[in-house]
Amino acid sequence: MAQKLATARHSQLGANDPGQRALDLNQANANDPHSKHARRPAIIKAMFLALDQIGLRYPGANLGPAQPSLQHPPTATSNKVRPGAVDGVTLGLARGQIGVLIGPSGCGKTSLLRCIAGLERLNSGRILIEGQALADASLGLHLAPEARRIGMVFQDYALFPHLSVAENIAFGLRHLSRSDRDRRIGEMLDLVGLAHAAKRAPHQLSGGQQQRVALARALAPAPRLLLLDEPFSSLDVDLREHLSQELRAILHASATTALFATHDQSEAFAIGDVVGVMNKGRLEQWDAPYTVYHRPATRFVADFIGHSVFAPGRIVAGADGPEVLTPVGALVDAEACAMASAYPDGACDVLLRADDIIHDDAAPVTAQIERKIFRGADFLYTLRLATGDRLKAHVPSHHDHHLGEWIGIRAHVDHVVTFPALSGDTARTESPL
């Protein structure tokens, strides 16, 4: 009986309907014990949104040698060319979570969003929402963007200048009756706090208000997933901070699952329930914001996030466990510090962030100020030790020392993160211990 109903439904929708083809393929794979997708990893089964080793290559893109990473450890074939704007990315988002992708320009954030939206065809891997495959390169499956029920908010808002705020929000609601459409517009206006501006034109709004209209328009059709591509990039810093908090509240209030791309780390940490760091098309780490900052999975993540340096260290056995001897003293982290045997002779590079270094005139270690950047509440000092090693430190702005002056410093490190010692400037992809 179920098979007859499925056949009848397929006939009603039409054999060429992409949504039905995807459902049919998903059902076939689930029922076939020999299908390679019948034994899905736990992350694929449990997550609302699941990306499974997806890859995208643009024709004619510059090709470069593969770089090892946490997800792709060094192998005998690591020197082979591996092109890809997106390269073997696997991640999962639970229902209602907000994920944020950060990374340098050209790292693949926007390309990844375009793959999920259906604007690009995968070269490898698959994308699923609620267990339904939206794209599967191995099956040649590519659900059309309009069939995916995914909303997208762009950098430039893309509002229609000749339509009012309410009419912009109504654009994706033409399938509703007039009364239902008006009710949904009212709900969205209330959600983003713009009920008073329903009849205004976009040019009569501030940049922040225009962004909220774009968000309301994307949320109005009740998408299963919302994608946001650096939506605050054109706004000033203060407004970005305010809107990032508003955005998080709006998305949680509407129980919307969202994936957000930004280059602003503060924005990522303020908005995201989970944060991913991308580099050269690969996902270096996908974790809670606190973990990404304090327990970076790779050397690239450690270097990219925050203001930090790598100082030479040596791990030795201490009275309460392993200690890391550094130019600024011994560091202890009983829970996570690597054993001395993890590295040859215990030699390592230890991550020291600017907020790990404290200005203390009574400290036995001194450093010379080489550079300083005034940031309002504090200075960011670049310091040089007598050994020649350099550090960075956040110092309260009332401690306004001169360039070239020597000041006392000490280290206060709660999370000791170490990497294999490197000589020279090499790829930042090693996993920490």
Side-chain angles (χ1 to χ4, degrees), residues 105-138:
S105 297
C107 70
K109 302 186 297 292
T110 297
S111 295
L112 184 62
L113 294 187
R114 290 176 61 84
C115 288
I116 298 170
L119 302 177
E120 305 287 353
R121 295 186 71 96
L122 296 182
N123 294 107
S124 60
R126 58 195 177 127
I127 300 171
L128 304 97
I129 291 184
E130 296 184 291
Q132 175 197 358
L134 307 183
D136 191 325
S138 67

Side-chain angles (χ1 to χ4, degrees), residues 318-342:
D320 299 318
E323 298 180 353
V324 185
L325 305 182
T326 75
V328 287
L331 308 179
V332 179
D333 183 351
E335 291 185 5
C337 185
M339 302 298 291
S341 58

Side-chain angles (χ1 to χ4, degrees), residues 154-157 206-208 210-211 229-237 239-240 243 262-263 267:
F154 300 95
Q155 295 182 27
D156 59 358
Y157 317 151
S206 67
Q210 290 181 31
Q211 188 55 268
D229 187 12
E230 302 205 32
F232 304 147
S233 60
S234 62
L235 304 178
D236 62 72
V237 174
L239 186 55
R240 283 210 309 264
L243 284 179
T262 181
H263 63 275
E267 195 170 271

Side-chain angles (χ1 to χ4, degrees), residues 66-400:
Q67 297 291 334
S69 71
L70 186 65
Q71 291 188 352
H72 305 266
T75 67
T77 60
S78 289
N79 291 327
K80 292 184 179 180
V81 170
R82 286 185 188 170
V86 179
D87 192 357
V89 170
T90 294
L91 62 82
L93 265 182
R95 183 187 297 275
Q97 270 193 323
I98 304 172
V100 181
L101 297 170
I102 55 176
S105 297
C107 70
K109 302 186 297 292
T110 297
S111 295
L112 184 62
L113 294 187
R114 290 176 61 84
C115 288
I116 298 170
L119 302 177
E120 305 287 353
R121 295 186 71 96
L122 296 182
N123 294 107
S124 60
R126 58 195 177 127
I127 300 171
L128 304 97
I129 291 184
E130 296 184 291
Q132 175 197 358
L134 307 183
D136 191 325
S138 67
L139 300 175
L141 170 66
H142 179 82
L143 202 61
E146 62 271 18
R148 298 191 179 198
R149 286 185 57 204
I150 292 177
M152 193 155 187
V153 178
F154 300 95
Q155 295 182 27
D156 59 358
Y157 317 151
L159 298 178
F160 299 107
H162 62 292
L163 299 181
S164 69
V165 167
E167 290 167 338
N168 266 278
I169 296 173
F171 185 78
L173 304 177
R174 296 177 180 178
H175 61 289
L176 299 180
S177 67
R178 179 63 180 268
S179 59
D180 287 344
R181 186 164 61 246
D182 289 344
R183 177 184 55 79
R184 186 62 176 167
I185 293 170
E187 290 174 352
M188 292 299 98
L189 287 169
D190 289 339
L191 183 66
V192 299
L194 288 175
H196 64 285
K199 296 183 179 181
R200 294 183 189 174
H203 74 270
Q204 295 175 308
L205 305 178
S206 67
Q209 289 174 322
Q210 290 181 31
Q211 188 55 268
R212 279 185 276 166
V213 175
L215 179 61
R217 183 178 62 184
L219 290 173
R224 294 190 292 179
L225 175 70
L226 184 64
L227 305 176
L228 304 101
D229 187 12
E230 302 205 32
F232 304 147
S233 60
S234 62
L235 304 178
D236 62 72
V237 174
D238 288 340
L239 186 55
R240 283 210 309 264
E241 287 185 5
H242 176 69
L243 284 179
S244 65
Q245 292 301 310
E246 278 195 351
L247 173 64
R248 181 175 172 83
I250 289 170
L251 292 177
H252 280 309
S254 59
T256 300
T257 308
L259 189 58
F260 185 105
T262 181
H263 63 275
D264 188 311
Q265 296 178 24
S266 298
E267 195 170 271
F269 292 146
I271 293 173
D273 299 311
V274 60
V275 171
V277 182
M278 293 193 68
N279 178 38
K280 298 180 180 178
R282 290 181 170 173
L283 187 65
E284 297 273 341
Q285 186 168 359
W286 179 251
D287 226 321
Y290 183 92
T291 306
V292 169
Y293 187 84
H294 290 293
R295 296 293 184 200
T298 69
R299 194 178 182 104
F300 174 84
V301 175
D303 186 47
F304 180 77
I305 298 295
H307 299 103
S308 57
V309 299
F310 298 101
R314 184 174 301 278
I315 303 176
V316 299
D320 299 318
E323 298 180 353
V324 185
L325 305 182
T326 75
V328 287
L331 308 179
V332 179
D333 183 351
E335 291 185 5
C337 185
M339 302 298 291
S341 58
Y343 306 111
D345 298 324
C348 64
D349 285 346
V350 61
L351 173 68
L352 292 176
R353 297 201 183 278
D355 49 3
D356 293 328
I357 305 301
I358 297 174
H359 176 211
D360 182 354
D361 289 328
V365 178
T366 59
Q368 186 179 38
I369 301 172
E370 285 196 331
R371 290 189 296 274
K372 66 178 186 178
I373 299 174
F374 181 62
R375 292 148 40 100
D378 60 29
F379 284 102
L380 175 61
Y381 283 167
T382 299
L383 306 170
R384 184 177 61 82
L385 298 171
T387 61
D389 298 302
R390 285 178 171 80
L391 304 173
K392 293 184 178 180
H394 290 147
V395 177
S397 59
H398 58 274
H399 291 188
D400 187 8

